[in-house]
Every structure is written in C-alpha cells, then in structure tokens.
Amino acid sequence: EAQVTQNPRYLITVTGKKLTVTCSQNMNHEYMSWYRQDPGLGLRQIYYSMNVEVTDKGDVPEGYKVSRKEKRNFPLILESPSPNQTSLYFCASSLGAGVGDTQYFGPGTRLTVL
Amino acid sequence: GEDVEQSLFLSVREGDSSVINCTYTDSSSTYLYWYKQEPGAGLQLLTYIFSNMDMKQDQRLTVLLNKKDKHLSLRIADTQTGDSAIYFCAESPLSGGNKLTFGTGTQLKVEL
C-alpha cells in the first residue's frame, strides 16, 4: 500500500532534549516536506527536499533540522526543543517538485514540549 | 506573501448541501486544492482545480473558481455525517514549485 508513515505518532518531551521524528514513503517520490499545524494558522512549511542530499528552508525553519540521505526517508530533528514547538507535524511527499504534483500526507505526529 | 483565508466553522444538517469558501491573494496561483482532515488523521486530497478552469465536478463535490475575485469554493451535495471534518484550501503558486500555502481550515459539523 502506497503510504507516508511517521513515527512516533505522539510524543511528550522536555525543553532541550533532542528528538527526531521519522518520515518514510514507499512511493519512490523525489519531493518531501515537513509542515506544522497550529490552531488558526493552518499548515506552514518547515523544510522541504527536492531529492537526496537537496534540502531547503520553508516558511518556519527556525529550531529545526532535516536530512535526506536516502530517497525514502526525511527525518525532522529538533536539537533543543522549546515549548513553542508544541504542534502537530505532518510529513508529505510527491512524485516531483512541479506545480500540480499531488502531495500525499502522513498521519501526523503530535508533539508536546514541556 | 501569499495569504489564504477561510471561515473557521460551518454547521449543516444531514442531507443539505455544504459550501465552504476560501479566498487567496496570490494572483499567480496555478493549482488550488481542497484537502480533508478527519480527527486524528492526516490530510487527504479531495480534489483540485487548475487556474484556467471555472468549475470542476467530482461526484458529490463541486469546485468553483472565480479567478477575478480570487475566490474558491467547495460544495458538498447531500452532506453526510461522514463528511464531518476540517477542510483546508491550499494554493500552489507559479514560482513556488510544489510548495503549498494552506488556509486556516474550516471545521464542518454535520448534524442529524
């Protein structure tokens, strides 16, 4: 089954404790991205990747890192999480980076930073 | 920058039609999308429309695009309780590659 998976689905952590949220897709998609969803703000893009070893900042990259060592995986790293990073995070992938390439979303990771 | 706006809530009775509205500011938008988010789930693509179209129909869903007013709407005919969800409008600008700019989402509640 074609899908985007994220782990963990739920995470509660404390300020400053490094964490990684994994994202994997099995559709051989080139384009992957991370969004965060906050009430009243919709989804905002954090980082995206056009292909292996090619990543770039989205609209709200501060406090986050990503890597793309393999095509299927695109982990989101919070080196020193802070309470304002409490949010619902979505990973998405699409075949290419062209306008109109449909993005498929993972189920989301709800992160709480105390 | 780009801005996409939606009303936050909509309540309808089962069997009625629902109309969810969206306005956007980026005149270079090429594709406009509607996504559905059910509780505890990710976003599911419902439908999309290319900017040179006025209307697209897909079973119970009708998308209307008024490019002059930068207004997009999603009509759901014969709304069912399973349609209760948050609906996001999103636009993809000409210059942004595959980056999506999302609206705030409209919570649709379907009452019996």
Side-chain angles (χ1 to χ4, degrees):
Chain A
E1 180 191 351
Q3 60 183 351
V4 179
T5 57
Q6 297 177 225
N7 280 292
R9 294 289 314 277
Y10 303 90
L11 179 60
I12 301 174
T13 189
V14 295
T15 299
K17 186 175 180 183
K18 181 180 177 180
L19 66 92
T20 299
V21 184
T22 64
C23 172
S24 182
Q25 49 90 8
N26 62 1
M27 297 170 277
N28 202 35
H29 284 172
E30 289 189 350
Y31 183 93
M32 297 184 75
S33 63
W34 276 102
Y35 293 85
R36 61 177 287 174
Q37 182 183 4
D38 301 291
L41 295 176
L43 279 80
R44 294 175 293 167
Q45 191 181 56
I46 302 170
Y47 267 95
Y48 65 94
S49 169
M50 301 280 229
N51 213 326
V52 176
E53 301 291 4
V54 181
T55 63
D56 211 343
K57 296 177 181 178
D59 294 322
V60 288
E62 293 79 20
Y64 304 95
K65 284 174 58 178
V66 292
S67 71
R68 188 90 182 274
K69 292 182 172 31
E70 310 163 276
K71 201 170 189 179
R72 62 183 293 128
N73 296 323
F74 189 45
L76 179 70
I77 303 154
L78 285 71
E79 294 271 3
S80 183
S82 61
N84 65 11
Q85 292 178 297
T86 292
S87 188
L88 180 57
Y89 291 87
F90 289 101
C91 178
S93 74
S94 60
L95 189 61
V99 171
D101 276 322
T102 301
Q103 291 197 44
Y104 296 87
F105 284 79
T109 295
R110 185 166 292 282
L111 172 66
T112 301
V113 183
L114 302 173
Chain B
E2 308 92 356
D3 194 21
V4 180
E5 293 190 358
Q6 302 176 238
S7 54
L8 291 179
F9 299 103
L10 176 65
S11 179
V12 299
R13 288 192 180 276
E14 189 177 39
D16 288 350
S17 291
S18 308
V19 180
I20 303 171
N21 294 302
C22 170
T23 57
Y24 60 97
T25 57
D26 189 348
S27 58
S28 73
S29 296
T30 52
Y31 281 87
L32 294 124
Y33 300 84
W34 284 104
Y35 281 85
K36 177 183 181 183
Q37 184 182 29
E38 296 184 21
L43 276 72
Q44 171 196 354
L45 178 65
L46 280 180
T47 187
Y48 64 91
I49 189 167
F50 189 54
S51 59
N52 67 354
M53 299 168 64
D54 298 323
M55 185 182 87
K56 181 178 179 181
Q57 187 154 2
D58 184 1
Q59 298 182 343
R60 292 191 298 122
L61 305 179
T62 303
V63 179
L64 295 177
L65 175 60
N66 181 327
K67 199 172 180 183
K68 174 175 168 289
D69 293 339
K70 298 191 185 83
H71 182 266
L72 181 75
S73 68
L74 174 69
R75 179 177 179 270
I76 305 172
D78 187 26
T79 312
Q80 303 297 307
T81 54
D83 294 323
S84 292
I86 301 176
Y87 290 81
F88 289 94
C89 152
E91 60 98 12
S92 184
L94 181 65
S95 60
N98 206 10
K99 179 194 166 191
L100 293 174
T101 298
F102 284 85
T104 53
T106 299
Q107 171 96 50
L108 174 65
K109 182 179 178 183
V110 182
E111 297 174 327
L112 297 172

